[in-house]
């Protein structure tokens, strides 16, 4: 059969099935292959919070969405071009996200009476014509792999487990991807189990061949390689990037690394990664609770380590007292808060940006500290290093805000050459002459760092207010005022040491979109689309939230209206107003979902209409 | 490349390590109430410090909040006066990072057993080499007199005007039950014995817990008189000595005998029992340690004082060091390139 070839700028596909169907795996393999052929990629794993949800149920559906394209891909995409649905529940849950006219490959073996009942379908949707808006391809993948592997020695259970690889093979034909990257991965994974390796390779190839020969697939889609900067790349999650960022920051500072942490979704993977870095001499303590997590990190920092603690909302609540201690002790500490929906236990696996207030104000007393935020999965690497740089240079705890969306999603990360990254220079004091614990660098106002073990520098510090310079306990009214002022000035001064904010589009005008943190991709997509339509709108995205870049006020004053989209009820909006007395328009969403580009587009279009 | 921290960690002390107790005095006024048991504890710590042979810069005192937690300010070594209950958590991180340091924690019954209880039990189980000196005065003093987790039932305090209803913790049993490898009890009025316990704690390679009955002259004066005053202590307390039978009484005329697993008091003068029938203390026997610690609130029995248990077990920080030495010693270990570029990476040319 003659196949047509169609060129696309980008495509969105989603693998969906039961928790045990291996959807996360094939999603990862597809995105790595797409990266390796030079596409930009952005992914979002969407899996249940239950560990082993009952088979076939609606709440046990696990999915993995990938957007890949020729140009810069900033988000995992909105509507799905291709849905692979391994059972009835996965179809039901994901159908609302499929484009009208989109392709659905459904494993008909997953639509038996039992599965239909679990998915609460009265009739089989593959047979009742209810999916006429879509291009539906029902295939009994279970039977196909059974037939393919009829001569194999592997068990029937293992045969059935290759369904996902067969589906992956089909998608590789549909989007013209090579098999070699996946084959190499299979060899690494099953190298010692020859029969399983051979079966998976066979099924992968069979999937590709099936799609190639099948009459149902009339079109093959091609996406040209992106214009990406040369170098080594890998798809990386935000949590992995943060963990590597900590190791690299310690390396650049020539300091040993310590992580004190307590497991909490969706931050736990950072602890997982770090605990496996013993070959890099990284120490960690899985503490008895969140408080001990941060306190042990403070102890290690006191001992001269680059120390970090990782957490999510409820954990940050528990850590705030100790963070206040780090503020007054003036010790460096990196606190990574992977934000999730709150309050309380809230939505543990879902993203939100609602910890900004707590990062900014969530301590008793006057206790300012620097706050930075990452814009994407790979940016978690850069911003972790930035948090460590500020912490060490200014002798202060720093909060890095990421969120469950960028922490668990991936995008290609251009692996840096370590020499490209600037050194971080901790200022340890070793000379007892003229030493005082709260003597400061006149430029940064950071105090000197004298660690235990340094002969002649024995001294005491603590949570009671310190006398300026000597660090002795002081209740003196004027001294307290002075110390509060110094600590505030130290943090404010960091504004001189961070990049200026950048405006895309006109530098002044009617409407500016101001974003921060993990919503970058969605806003950027919306902005690019609006600009391509000739709309007059500008965009500025913040990664430094305390202090703000020095030029932010000037930027904000150059626009008549400011739109601030954020996944909270207006926290940045409120801080901007209280800092600059500048009002703005909020686009606020707290649904446990990432921000979508069309939501920003719609809002901007609505605002632009008002002007007309 | 060696880090600065490694350099400091392995640096030799310049000059000799010879000190007098005065060298450990920070030179600032001690601000406990006149007659507070804390003074004795401070003096005994300062007395034993020169005997340990540890350079001053390698010693740090970490404390939480409470009267006892002022302690670091009075010692001319490194010190952190931290948060209520968190001294052990902070010291745990410090010790894992810096096993070269001799770490001491000054804490109280409220700080250690109440708000810091979770950190306490976990440090016990991990066997981190920390020396925890718990000033037990059975009352909250710095907040001016509320009952603590070691206050006795019926005790009248500002927050229990009609008497405490709670059952108290028995600190020694709690420490043993949590896996502490060294557990001892002493009291403020016996300087020589406190020095002995502090030396033992310092030399014990593992988690050391020393409960010190500490008189609070203001809010709980005389709470331990029965066990500490010259005229009553012989009849009401028993000294635990490794390898020796448990004998007590003004005339050394009573002993402790095990009846099954239950200790009971027997007379050595009525001809029924001799010293040979008595329970002989063994610091290495953790079953026995539980039995002895559980004598604590039994009115029929003398209060046990001394070392309940001293068992050697690999410390947590040593295990961390061993794991790091093993994995960082493998061929190719420590190459950051291997962390950055993984099997899934690709190159764009």
């Amino acid at each position: 059969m003659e196949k047509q070839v169609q060129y696309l700028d980008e495509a969105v596909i989603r693998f969906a099935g039961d928790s045990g169907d291996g959807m996360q795996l094939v999603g990862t393999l597809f995105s790595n292959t797409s990266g390796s052929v030079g596409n930009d990629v952005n992914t979002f794993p969407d899996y249940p919070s239950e560990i082993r949800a009952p088979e076939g149920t609606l709440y046990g559906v696990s999915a993995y969405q990938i957007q890949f394209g020729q140009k810069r891909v900033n988000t995992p995409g909105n509507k799905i071009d291709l849905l692979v649905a391994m059972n009835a529940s996965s179809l039901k849950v994901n159908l609302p996200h499929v484009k009208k006219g989109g392709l659905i490959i459904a494993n008909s073996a997953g639509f038996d009476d039992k599965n239909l009942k679990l998915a609460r379908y009265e009739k089989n949707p593959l047979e009742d014509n209810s999916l006429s808006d879509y291009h539906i391809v029902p295939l009994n993948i279970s039977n196909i792999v059974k037939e393919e592997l009829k001569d194999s020695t592997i068990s029937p259970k293992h045969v059935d487990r290759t369904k996902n690889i067969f589906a992956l093979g089909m998608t590789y034909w549909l989007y013209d991807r090579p098999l070699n990257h996946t084959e190499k991965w299979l060899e690494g994974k099953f190298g010692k189990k020859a029969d399983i390796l051979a079966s998976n390779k066979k099924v992968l190839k069979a999937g590709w061949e099936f799609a190639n020969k099948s009459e149902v697939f009339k079109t093959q889609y091609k996406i040209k390689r992106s214009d990406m900067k040369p170098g080594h790349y890998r798809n990386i999650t935000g949590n992995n990037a943060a963990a590597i960022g900590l190791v690299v920051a310690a390396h650049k500072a020539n300091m040993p690394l310590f992580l004190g942490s307590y497991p909490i979704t969706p931050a736990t993977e950072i602890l997982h990664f770090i605990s496996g870095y013993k070959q890099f001499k990284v120490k960690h303590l899985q503490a008895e609770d969140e408080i001990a997590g941060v306190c042990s990190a403070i102890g290690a920092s006191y001992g001269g380590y680059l120390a970090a603690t990782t957490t999510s909302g409820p954990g940050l609540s528990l850590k705030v007292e100790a963070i206040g201690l780090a503020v007054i002790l003036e010790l460096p500490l990196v606190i990574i808060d992977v934000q999730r929906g709150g309050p309380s236990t809230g939505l543990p696996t879902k993203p939100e940006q609602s910890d900004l207030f707590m990062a900014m104000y969530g301590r008793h007393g006057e206790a300012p500290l620097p706050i930075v935020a990452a814009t994407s999965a790979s940016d978690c690497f850069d911003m972790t290093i930035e948090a460590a740089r500020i912490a060490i240079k200014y002798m202060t705890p720093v909060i890095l805000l990421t969120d469950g969306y960028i922490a668990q999603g991936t995008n290609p990360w251009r692996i840096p050459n370590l020499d490209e990254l600037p050194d971080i220079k901790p200022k340890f004091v070793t000379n007892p002459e003229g030493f005082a614990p709260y003597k400061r660098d006149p430029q940064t106002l950071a105090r000197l760092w004298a660690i235990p073990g340094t002969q002649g520098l024995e001294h005491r510090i603590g949570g009671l207010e310190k006398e300026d310079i000597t660090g002795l306990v002081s209740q003196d009214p004027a001294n307290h005022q002075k110390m509060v002022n110094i600590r505030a000035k130290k943090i404010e001064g960091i504004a001189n040491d961070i990049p200026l904010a950048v405006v895309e589009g006109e530098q002044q005008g009617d409407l500016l979109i101001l974003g921060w943190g993990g919503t970058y991709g969605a806003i950027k997509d919306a902005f690019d689309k609006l600009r391509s339509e000739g709309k007059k709108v500008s965009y500025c995205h913040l990664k430094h939230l305390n202090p703000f870049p020095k030029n932010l006020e000037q930027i904000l004053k150059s626009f008549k209206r400011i739109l601030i989209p954020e996944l909270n009820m207006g926290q940045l909006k409120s801080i901007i107003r209280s800092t600059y007395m500048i009002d703005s328009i909020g686009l606020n969403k707290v649904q446990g979902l990432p921000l979508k580009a069309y939501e920003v587009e719609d809002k901007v279009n609505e605002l632009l209409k008002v002007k007309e | 490349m060696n880090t600065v921290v490694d350099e400091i960690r392995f640096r030799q002390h310049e000059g000799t390590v010879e000190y007098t107790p005065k060298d450990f005095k920070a030179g600032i006024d001690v601000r406990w109430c006149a007659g507070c048991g804390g003074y004795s504890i401070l003096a005994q710590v300062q007395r034993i410090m020169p005997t340990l042979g540890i350079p001053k810069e390698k010693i740090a005192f970490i404390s939480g909040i409470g009267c006892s937690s002022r302690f670091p300010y009075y010692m001319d070594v490194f010190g952190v006066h931290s948060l209520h209950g968190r001294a052990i958590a902070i010291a745990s991180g410090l010790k894992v990072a810096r096993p070269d340091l001799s770490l001491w924690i000054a804490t109280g019954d409220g700080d250690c057993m109440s708000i810091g209880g979770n950190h306490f039990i976990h440090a016990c189980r991990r066997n981190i080499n920390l020396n925890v000196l718990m000033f037990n005065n059975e009352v909250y003093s710095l907040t001016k007199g509320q009952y603590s987790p070691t206050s006795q039932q019926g005790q009248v305090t500002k927050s229990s005007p009609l008497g405490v209803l709670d059952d108290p913790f028995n600190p020694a049993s709690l420490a043993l039950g949590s896996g502490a490898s060294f557990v001892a009890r002493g009291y403020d009025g016996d300087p020589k014995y406190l020095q002995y316990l502090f030396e033992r704690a310092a030399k014990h390679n593992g988690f050391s817990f020393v409960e010190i009955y500490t008189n609070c002259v203001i809010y709980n004066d005389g709470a331990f008189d029965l066990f500490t005053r010259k005229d009553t202590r012989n009849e009401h307390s028993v000294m635990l000595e490794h390898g020796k039978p448990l004998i007590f009484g003004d005339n050394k005329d009573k002993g402790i005998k095990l009846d099954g697993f239950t200790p009971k008091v027997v007379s050595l003068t009525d001809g029924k029992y001799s010293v040979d029938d008595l329970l002989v203390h063994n610091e290495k026997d953790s079953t026995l340690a539980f039995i002895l610690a559980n004598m604590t609130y039994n009115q029929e029995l003398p209060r046990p004082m001394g070392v309940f248990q001293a068992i050697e077990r690999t410390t947590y920080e040593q295990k961390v060091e061993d794991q790091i030495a093993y994995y960082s010693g493998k061929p190719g270990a420590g190459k950051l390139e291997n962390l950055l570029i993984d099997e899934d990476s690709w190159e764009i040319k």
Side-chain angles (χ1 to χ4, degrees), chain A residues 328-350:
Chain A
I328 197 166
L329 292 181
E330 302 193 45
L331 283 172
L333 178 68
V334 175
I335 302 135
I336 302 178
D337 174 26
V338 184
Q339 298 169 98
R340 66 190 220 187
S344 187
T345 311
L347 307 168
T349 60
K350 308 291 178 190

Side-chain angles (χ1 to χ4, degrees), chain A residues 32 35-36 38 181 184-185 225 228-235 244 247-248 251 254-256 258 277-289 291-292 295-296 298-300 302-305 321-322 325 329 381 412-413 415-416 418 428 430 450-464 466 473, chain B residues 1-5 8-9 11-15 26 28 56-58 60 62 70 72-73 75-84 86 89-94 96-101 118-120 122-123 125-126 128 316 320-321 323-324 327-328 333-349:
Chain A
N32 288 342
S36 73
H181 197 273
K184 207 177 120 197
W185 184 88
R225 57 178 292 164
M228 290 177 96
K229 206 174 156 188
H232 284 277
Y233 285 81
R234 68 192 264 199
N235 279 318
I244 295 174
V247 179
V248 171
H251 171 77
N254 192 27
M255 290 168 71
F258 178 93
Y277 293 162
K278 290 285 182 287
Q279 71 270 37
F280 303 108
K281 300 188 178 177
V282 174
K283 291 184 180 175
H284 83 288
L285 182 70
Q286 181 176 313
E288 55 273 19
D289 55 31
I291 296 170
C295 284
S296 62
I298 290 172
Y302 179 66
Y305 273 56
E321 187 198 17
L325 176 69
L329 292 181
F381 174 80
W413 172 49
I415 298 163
L418 290 177
F428 292 110
T430 51
I451 63 172
T454 321
Q455 193 171 345
L457 296 189
E458 296 83 5
H459 67 280
R460 275 64 60 196
I461 56 176
L464 287 169
K466 317 255 88 52
V473 175
Chain B
M1 184 167 44
N2 246 2
T3 63
V4 174
V5 178
I8 288 173
R9 179 174 163 185
R11 185 188 285 177
Q12 288 296 313
H13 178 82
E14 283 176 30
I28 64 165
K56 271 170 70 173
E57 69 271 16
K58 292 284 191 188
I62 315 292
R70 291 294 183 100
Y73 291 122
M75 293 292 299
D76 189 24
V77 290
F78 281 90
V80 181
H81 176 220
S82 76
L83 302 171
H84 200 19
R86 315 300 172 211
I90 289 171
S92 295
L94 179 56
V96 170
R98 295 287 306 277
D100 57 311
L101 302 176
N118 199 30
H119 311 309
F120 174 72
H122 288 276
R125 109 184 135 78
R126 290 190 187 107
I128 297 181
Y316 180 82
V320 172
E321 295 290 311
Q323 214 174 42
I324 284 181
Y327 286 99
S328 66
K335 276 196 182 151
L336 276 187
E337 293 72 21
N338 298 342
L339 178 66
L340 299 175
I341 298 180
D342 72 355
E343 68 271 22
D344 287 330
S345 54
W346 64 86
E347 191 178 1
I348 303 252
K349 287 181 183 160

Side-chain angles (χ1 to χ4, degrees), chain B residues 170-244:
Chain B
N170 171 4
S173 296
L174 181 64
L176 289 166
S178 308
S181 52
F182 180 90
V183 178
R185 177 188 291 147
Y187 65 93
D188 52 10
D190 190 348
K192 279 271 173 308
Y193 196 69
L194 273 191
Q195 289 170 30
Y196 166 76
L197 289 183
F198 295 164
E199 271 191 65
R200 288 284 309 269
K203 287 173 181 158
H204 176 73
N205 185 25
F207 187 85
S208 305
F209 175 64
V210 184
E211 178 192 10
I212 308 153
Y213 284 167
T214 309
N215 193 39
C216 175
V217 284
I218 307 297
Y219 296 110
N220 201 12
D221 195 21
F224 304 106
D225 274 2
L226 207 55
F227 321 113
T228 61
R229 269 176 52 168
K230 269 192 184 137
D231 55 340
T232 51
R233 69 184 178 208
N234 291 342
E235 286 294 318
H236 293 277
S237 69
V238 58
M239 212 60 183
L240 307 175
E241 289 179 85
H242 183 61
K244 295 194 177 161

